[in-house]
Amino acid sequence: MPNAEVRKFAVDRLKGVDVEELLCYLNTLVHDIRYEPTPDPSPLVEFLIEAALSDARLRNDLFWALTVASESAKYRVRYCDCSCSPLSLSLSLSLSLSRSRSRSHIG
């Protein structure tokens, strides 16, 4: 979206939805990151990462959605910029920790 106020309004509206509904929109929102103005982090990127840090399923789905989206050669730099940010790296670390904890509970 070209207008910063419209983007901020859209993110504010997303803050009111529950995780299950957010998961329904996640792929579209990750796709929209490519159109967010630089520099990072955009309100959308910040919102998605903050939301993901509080929910394991959303964290996992966002991690993989960013990973898949970054495979596009045309937009790789854009997604790497946001997915390699400190917030995203903490998201990745948190995902790894969640996996190792679940494996230790299984065995």
Side-chain angles (χ1 to χ4, degrees):
M1 291 180 228
N3 186 312
E5 289 180 34
V6 174
R7 285 192 311 279
K8 184 180 179 316
F9 176 78
V11 170
D12 288 342
R13 299 298 298 169
L14 287 170
K15 290 178 182 177
V17 303
D18 63 17
V19 172
E20 289 300 317
E21 187 173 358
L22 188 56
L23 285 166
C24 293
Y25 306 132
L26 188 60
N27 288 331
T28 301
L29 295 171
V30 168
H31 174 81
D32 290 346
I33 289 171
R34 67 178 62 177
Y35 303 110
E36 288 288 294
T38 55
D40 276 336
S42 72
L44 176 59
V45 171
E46 286 183 332
F47 165 72
L48 288 173
I49 292 174
E50 285 176 25
L53 289 172
S54 65
D55 184 85
R57 181 171 176 212
L58 182 59
R59 184 169 49 246
N60 181 61
D61 288 3
L62 178 59
F63 175 82
W64 288 111
L66 287 170
T67 299
V68 169
S70 69
E71 291 180 0
S72 167
K74 184 175 180 181
Y75 298 104
R76 181 170 293 131
V77 171
R78 181 69 178 121
Y79 283 109
C80 284
D81 285 348
C82 91
S83 63
C84 295
S85 70
L87 284 174
S88 189
L89 291 174
S90 69
L91 172 71
S92 179
L93 175 60
S94 185
L95 176 63
S96 298
L97 290 173
S98 295
R99 285 185 179 159
S100 64
R101 285 183 190 140
S102 65
R103 286 183 190 137
S104 67
H105 290 298
I106 294 172

